[in-house]
Amino acid sequence: TFTFLGGAIEFENVSFSYDGKRKVADNLSFRGTPGQTIALVGQTGSGKSTILKLLFRFYDPEQGRILIDGQDVRQMAMEGFRKHIAIIPQTPVVFNASILENVKYPDVDCTDEEVTEACKAAALHDKIMTFTFGYQEQIGERGTKLSGGELQRLAIARAMLKRADILLLDEATSSVDSITEKHIQTSLRKLCAGKTTLVIAHRLSTILHADQILVIRDGQVVESGTHKVL
Ligand code: ATP
Ligand code: MG
């Protein structure tokens, strides 16, 4: 049986293609030890988001294996597997339901107070307080009442409640004011602490904090090391 033991990640010669022709992951190999923060950098279209999607098992590799704590991820039932991994995508998925229900998704066992705490830490609480119905406000079709940055903060609050072992973060490129930015960075750092984190990094500060940096080009790791080495 599959057991999470700290969240060591390994991609072992992973290849993947969306169309069966062009490889978006091309014999890709890397590993991360428990608690490490690994930053992925590379040009648009190089395959960074696909790496996160493969690890979250939106897709299966065509060749190679993805291992967590030395075990092939395909050995574990999907539902149980995903409880251990929190993903903060560039465009988070939200539902036409209340803010409260959206932050709690997927039915995490937590109190309303914990939701409030998470939203404060994610710099979203003040925005929610501007709504007539506060946490009971309906978020609207596809979350149209929230901006792109606010939606990503909602995903951060969601990830905080999940208490996962592994964190996948597709860092936002959308700019927010510098105070909010600082607030979010502090929350994210707290969120990452003790978790193995795979982050698609757009900010220099994220790269500076990473234990390992992987430069991705055409679905391959073309360079790796620490900020000092690169
Ligand atoms: P960006 O920095 O712009 O977010 P990225 O490095 O995250 O880029 P990916 O999203 O992994 O890149 O995409 C890699 C390649 O795979 C791109 O050429 C993209 O067009 C293609 N691709 C991504 N998702 C799909 C999909 N669902 N179906 C088909 N092709 C896809
Ligand atoms: Mg991407």
Side-chain angles (χ1 to χ4, degrees):
T1 55
F2 194 106
T3 339
F4 274 77
L5 301 165
I9 298 171
E10 182 169 5
F11 274 55
E12 190 185 79
N13 305 108
V14 170
S15 291
F16 174 75
S17 161
Y18 287 102
D19 59 8
K21 290 180 219 146
R22 193 170 66 89
K23 283 183 176 168
V24 177
D26 189 3
N27 202 26
L28 185 75
S29 298
F30 66 88
R31 57 172 80 190
T33 56
Q36 258 195 345
T37 294
I38 304 152
L40 304 175
V41 299
Q43 286 183 344
T44 177
S46 56
K48 306 179 298 296
S49 295
T50 303
I51 293 171
L52 299 196
K53 287 174 191 169
L54 284 166
L55 188 51
F56 200 63
R57 295 173 67 193
F58 281 130
Y59 307 101
D60 275 332
E62 280 157 20
Q63 282 166 34
R65 297 192 302 166
I66 299 171
L67 308 164
I68 291 177
D69 296 321
Q71 308 150 93
D72 192 321
V73 295
R74 281 172 291 202
Q75 287 172 353
M76 191 172 193
M78 192 65 88
E79 205 190 341
F81 176 81
R82 287 198 177 152
K83 281 189 183 142
H84 293 273
I85 303 187
I87 186 162
I88 304 175
Q90 244 169 346
T91 324
V93 179
V94 290
F95 309 96
N96 198 359
S98 68
I99 296 264
L100 186 73
E101 289 166 293
N102 268 286
V103 178
K104 278 187 172 179
Y105 172 84
D107 46 61
V108 175
D109 190 14
C110 61
T111 65
D112 291 357
E113 286 71 33
E114 287 170 320
V115 172
T116 310
E117 281 313 304
C119 289
K120 281 182 181 166
L124 190 64
H125 179 75
D126 290 350
K127 171 70 191 180
I128 295 167
M129 287 297 103
T130 68
F131 292 136
T132 315
F133 299 105
Y135 281 84
Q136 297 304 331
E137 184 90 7
Q138 296 296 304
I139 207 169
E141 283 282 309
R142 278 177 248 116
T144 40
K145 282 182 192 167
L146 298 174
S147 72
E150 286 158 0
L151 281 176
Q152 195 158 47
R153 271 135 64 199
L154 190 150
I156 292 172
R158 208 182 249 172
M160 283 178 167
L161 293 171
K162 206 170 171 186
R163 299 188 179 88
D165 304 283
I166 293 174
L167 180 67
L168 307 177
L169 171 59
D170 207 335
E171 200 168 58
T173 42
S174 58
S175 55
V176 293
D177 64 87
S178 58
I179 294 170
T180 307
E181 174 63 33
K182 237 182 151 178
H183 200 133
I184 295 171
Q185 288 302 327
T186 309
S187 314
L188 278 176
R189 219 138 275 147
K190 262 189 237 160
L191 180 61
C192 296
K195 295 181 180 37
T196 315
T197 304
L198 206 50
V199 53
I200 298 174
H202 296 291
R203 298 174 204 291
L204 182 62
S205 65
T206 308
I207 293 167
L208 291 175
H209 277 90
D211 301 298
Q212 205 188 141
I213 300 158
L214 306 178
V215 183
I216 309 298
R217 190 189 302 151
D218 297 331
Q220 292 184 315
V221 179
V222 291
E223 262 187 287
S224 68
T226 59
H227 174 72
K228 273 184 199 148
V229 176
L230 298 178

